Amino acid sequence: MSKTKIIAVSVKKGGEGKTTLSTNQSALLAKSGAKTLLIDLDPQGHVIHVFGQDPKKLQHTIYTVLKGNTDLKDVVIENIVPNLDILPSNNELDYFIAEPGGSKRVGNLITKIAESGKYKYIVIDTAPAFNNITYEIYDRSDLVLIPFTCSNHAEEALNDIVKALPVLTEVNNKVQLLIVPNKYKLLARNGVESKNSMYKQSLDAQKENVRNNKNIIIGNFISLSDQYNIAEVYEQLPLVLVKKQTKSMLKPISEQEELLKNIVKLLVNKK
């Protein structure tokens, strides 16, 4: 039996498109036929909201599992779309994060699910934070996706992760980080991107920053698009699962599909 691959989507700063990335990539994995579990570790609970449900109305979540009040099997929402299960969250998780030993219990739960062999992929949508739970997730992940919006504040958040990488990889030195330039605005003239583009300058700076780090790779960019929100509001689905696709949807969907190819290639090549 092949080992379950764990993919975390993690960034210290909010507003980077973390949940959009995790829901669309999970949906594509499931669409490819791979049994996938999407774990929401963000107390905002936005993952389940993407699929048209209100996280505030959930009686049982990952929080009640971690507290030992409910069994995992009674909380996981199975086949919310074919091949995709969700372990949801809501703001109750805020109460748990500060509890002594809480982060270790999160890590143990992820390990338990992975070792069950039920899923080919586990995707984890983390909170926009950098804490002990972050370390537990990095410790267990094969690949960490870091959405990066090429802004000053995003650069600071990314630099913090790069600086902490020696500690993060102390136990799991095989984890790879895939930086995903997200909400990217391509400012071009005659089909050639402007060298003066703020986005290009920011991205070039990060390429130089991580150039000598074998654990960090920069992937294809994901363009800024309102189609993600349109899909969530009107279809109550991640964009990549919308059946009646408009012309405006084709480019962002293609970019997500290209990103998935890079993800799978990285995971296949991992020793």
Side-chain angles (χ1 to χ4, degrees), residues 29-94:
L29 287 167
K31 191 176 179 181
S32 74
K35 188 63 178 175
T36 302
L37 174 67
L38 175 53
I39 300 176
D40 193 355
L41 275 174
D42 188 340
Q44 297 176 92
H46 285 170
V47 162
I48 199 65
H49 184 75
V50 172
F51 292 87
Q53 298 188 33
D54 186 350
K56 294 179 182 178
K57 294 181 179 180
L58 295 174
Q59 291 185 328
H60 303 298
T61 65
I62 190 171
Y63 170 76
T64 56
V65 175
L66 291 166
K67 291 291 290 183
N69 298 332
T70 49
D71 290 334
L72 179 66
K73 62 181 176 60
D74 296 324
V75 179
V76 170
I77 301 171
E78 296 189 331
N79 291 309
I80 196 160
V81 295
N83 292 318
L84 180 60
D85 295 353
I86 290 179
L87 180 52
S89 173
N90 60 20
N91 59 4
E92 287 183 320
L93 190 60
D94 271 329

Side-chain angles (χ1 to χ4, degrees), residues 135-147:
Y135 284 81
E136 292 290 335
I137 293 169
Y138 271 68
D139 186 27
R140 288 159 175 78
S141 295
D142 297 284
L143 182 65
V144 179
L145 308 183
I146 304 176

Side-chain angles (χ1 to χ4, degrees), residues 17 44 48-49 73-74 86 118 125 153 177 195 215 243-244 262 271:
Q44 297 176 92
I48 199 65
H49 184 75
K73 62 181 176 60
D74 296 324
I86 290 179
K118 182 176 181 180
D125 186 15
H153 293 304
L177 275 60
K195 293 180 180 179
N215 291 86
K243 291 183 179 179
K244 294 183 179 179
N262 292 335
K271 295 179 180 180

